Amino acid sequence: MIEKKDLRIVFMGTPEFAVGTLEALVEGGYNVVAVVTQPDKPVGRHGSVLMPTEVKKYALQKGIPLLQPEKMKDPEFVATLQGYEADLQVVVAFRMLPEVVWAMPKYGTFNVHAALLPQYRGAAPINWAVINGETVTGVTTFFLDHDIDTGRVILKRSFDIPDDADVEYVYDGLMKLGAQAAIDTIERIREGDGNVEAIAQEEMMDGTQLKPAPKIFKDACRIDWTLPSKRVYDFVRGLSPYPGAWTTMRQIGVAEEVVVKIYKTTKCQIAGKGMTPGTLVVEKGKLLVCTGDGMLEVEQLQKAGKKKMDAAAFINGLHDIEACSFA
């Protein structure tokens, strides 16, 4: 069995989700010799302020050597990375790695993916699992290879998605579960003296259609009110709180449409009464929106340029609710 102190690990990651695993490694006494993360991101009106990644903040706090390459194939970066003589690389929510990087350690490079592979390969697996109304998701550790999220699977851990859960809930749960999965994976590698059983994803496919998890852009976040209520309900919670499902509000007599983000809806038993999808109705103080097969209650929303508000505040800010609709 490989001793903890003898297993040299390089960690690669960027957002808060990755910090959960990095922290588990550090607090667990594993020998993290270096951290690789994205370059600082320009923010502000003129891009004059550089914002460090969450992984960088943690690495600096713990005094871990840090690398922030612009390009993963940069010869200087590759040479520096080789100098750390890593036995294993652990990747969480980072970027696609070239073979010269993922093939460098003698025990390989494994990734912690926030889904049960081979389902939901891609950049936004948590969002898409909720959008599609899944009741179970999870995390998978797998060895990197030439293609995205297709490598040999080491282990999986499942996570239940309650019907009222949004992305934030699932994100937090999978961050903790992913950290434990990474630890369990490393322990298997240690116990096997660098060897660990891993299964090709092709052997795990049972003929069911694979659901992708591509990166989500703003246009894909627009709500289609003609869909059934359950589909809209899942869509909203699958994008809440970030990046946020949105719609436009039209008002009779007003030429300009207002963008409105919807953060929380509730399913209700009230029929749509044959009204046009997107029609707004106030009933017993509740804000209802007609869908393709009924109605949804909207509980939390935000007009462009305004703060988040509950439905009561939104209703109070409208002079004539019957003149307004979502589209």
Side-chain angles (χ1 to χ4, degrees), residues 142-269:
F142 68 96
F143 285 115
L144 294 188
D145 62 13
H146 293 92
D147 298 313
I148 297 176
D149 300 336
T150 61
R152 293 172 296 125
V153 169
I154 306 165
L155 61 79
K156 295 184 184 185
R157 295 287 184 268
S158 296
F159 182 84
D160 291 336
I161 305 177
D163 184 63
D164 60 350
D166 61 12
V167 162
E168 186 172 41
Y169 173 89
V170 182
Y171 180 100
D172 290 344
L174 293 186
M175 180 168 63
K176 297 181 179 69
L177 190 62
Q180 187 57 56
I183 296 295
D184 293 345
T185 298
I186 293 172
E187 286 304 297
R188 289 190 184 186
I189 292 170
R190 288 180 59 220
E191 291 168 3
D193 289 324
N195 298 310
V196 64
E197 182 181 358
I199 303 172
Q201 290 188 35
E202 289 75 17
E203 297 179 22
M204 307 172 74
M205 297 180 187
D206 57 4
T208 58
Q209 183 176 357
L210 295 185
K211 300 174 184 178
K215 185 175 181 179
I216 295 175
F217 296 95
K218 180 181 178 182
D219 287 350
C221 297
R222 185 167 190 166
I223 300 169
D224 181 355
W225 296 105
T226 67
L227 293 174
S229 294
K230 178 65 165 65
R231 291 276 305 278
V232 178
Y233 172 78
D234 290 336
F235 187 78
V236 170
R237 67 192 183 100
L239 295 170
S240 180
Y242 182 82
W246 63 274
T247 186
T248 57
M249 185 174 73
R250 297 173 177 172
Q251 190 168 0
I252 296 174
V254 179
E256 186 177 358
E257 296 183 353
V258 177
V259 173
V260 179
K261 283 193 173 184
I262 310 292
Y263 291 101
K264 186 177 182 180
T265 65
T266 301
K267 291 179 285 186
C268 59
Q269 300 302 317

Side-chain angles (χ1 to χ4, degrees), residues 2-317:
I2 304 170
E3 296 293 327
K4 274 188 179 182
K5 62 181 178 63
D6 296 329
L7 185 67
R8 297 174 62 83
I9 299 172
V10 166
F11 181 85
M12 301 183 181
T14 296
E16 179 191 19
F17 189 88
V19 175
T21 299
L22 177 57
E23 182 177 26
L25 295 180
V26 173
E27 298 299 322
Y30 292 91
N31 187 16
V32 180
V33 297
V35 166
V36 182
T37 191
Q38 295 276 43
D40 294 359
K41 185 178 180 179
V43 296
R45 180 173 296 180
H46 304 293
S48 57
V49 178
L50 294 178
M51 179 67 69
T53 70
E54 294 302 315
V55 163
K56 177 178 180 176
K57 293 176 186 177
Y58 183 84
L60 291 176
Q61 178 187 340
K62 296 299 180 178
I64 306 171
L66 187 70
L67 302 175
Q68 293 181 274
E70 291 283 351
K71 296 180 179 180
M72 299 301 291
K73 291 183 179 180
D74 182 286
E76 184 176 347
F77 162 70
V78 172
T80 302
L81 187 62
Q82 287 174 326
Y84 285 104
E85 299 180 335
D87 301 305
L88 179 69
Q89 289 176 159
V90 180
V91 180
V92 183
F94 192 46
R95 59 203 279 191
M96 189 171 180
L97 303 181
E99 183 174 1
V100 68
V101 173
W102 58 255
M104 191 180 295
K106 61 182 177 181
Y107 301 139
T109 299
F110 78 80
N111 180 275
V112 179
H113 186 71
L116 298 174
L117 292 173
Q119 293 292 355
Y120 294 106
R121 294 168 174 166
I126 302 177
N127 297 93
W128 284 107
V130 180
I131 288 171
N132 289 338
E134 303 287 1
T135 58
V136 177
T137 184
V139 295
T140 304
T141 60
F142 68 96
F143 285 115
L144 294 188
D145 62 13
H146 293 92
D147 298 313
I148 297 176
D149 300 336
T150 61
R152 293 172 296 125
V153 169
I154 306 165
L155 61 79
K156 295 184 184 185
R157 295 287 184 268
S158 296
F159 182 84
D160 291 336
I161 305 177
D163 184 63
D164 60 350
D166 61 12
V167 162
E168 186 172 41
Y169 173 89
V170 182
Y171 180 100
D172 290 344
L174 293 186
M175 180 168 63
K176 297 181 179 69
L177 190 62
Q180 187 57 56
I183 296 295
D184 293 345
T185 298
I186 293 172
E187 286 304 297
R188 289 190 184 186
I189 292 170
R190 288 180 59 220
E191 291 168 3
D193 289 324
N195 298 310
V196 64
E197 182 181 358
I199 303 172
Q201 290 188 35
E202 289 75 17
E203 297 179 22
M204 307 172 74
M205 297 180 187
D206 57 4
T208 58
Q209 183 176 357
L210 295 185
K211 300 174 184 178
K215 185 175 181 179
I216 295 175
F217 296 95
K218 180 181 178 182
D219 287 350
C221 297
R222 185 167 190 166
I223 300 169
D224 181 355
W225 296 105
T226 67
L227 293 174
S229 294
K230 178 65 165 65
R231 291 276 305 278
V232 178
Y233 172 78
D234 290 336
F235 187 78
V236 170
R237 67 192 183 100
L239 295 170
S240 180
Y242 182 82
W246 63 274
T247 186
T248 57
M249 185 174 73
R250 297 173 177 172
Q251 190 168 0
I252 296 174
V254 179
E256 186 177 358
E257 296 183 353
V258 177
V259 173
V260 179
K261 283 193 173 184
I262 310 292
Y263 291 101
K264 186 177 182 180
T265 65
T266 301
K267 291 179 285 186
C268 59
Q269 300 302 317
I270 303 172
K273 303 173 185 177
M275 290 184 285
T276 303
T279 300
L280 301 184
V281 176
V282 174
E283 188 164 318
K284 296 180 180 180
K286 296 180 178 181
L287 178 63
L288 307 178
V289 187
C290 293
T291 65
D293 68 350
M295 283 191 170
L296 275 180
E297 178 186 351
V298 175
E299 292 192 30
Q300 189 179 54
L301 62 171
Q302 181 181 23
K303 288 183 181 180
K306 305 292 183 180
K307 294 182 179 180
K308 283 185 184 180
M309 65 183 78
D310 59 23
F314 180 81
I315 293 168
N316 290 338

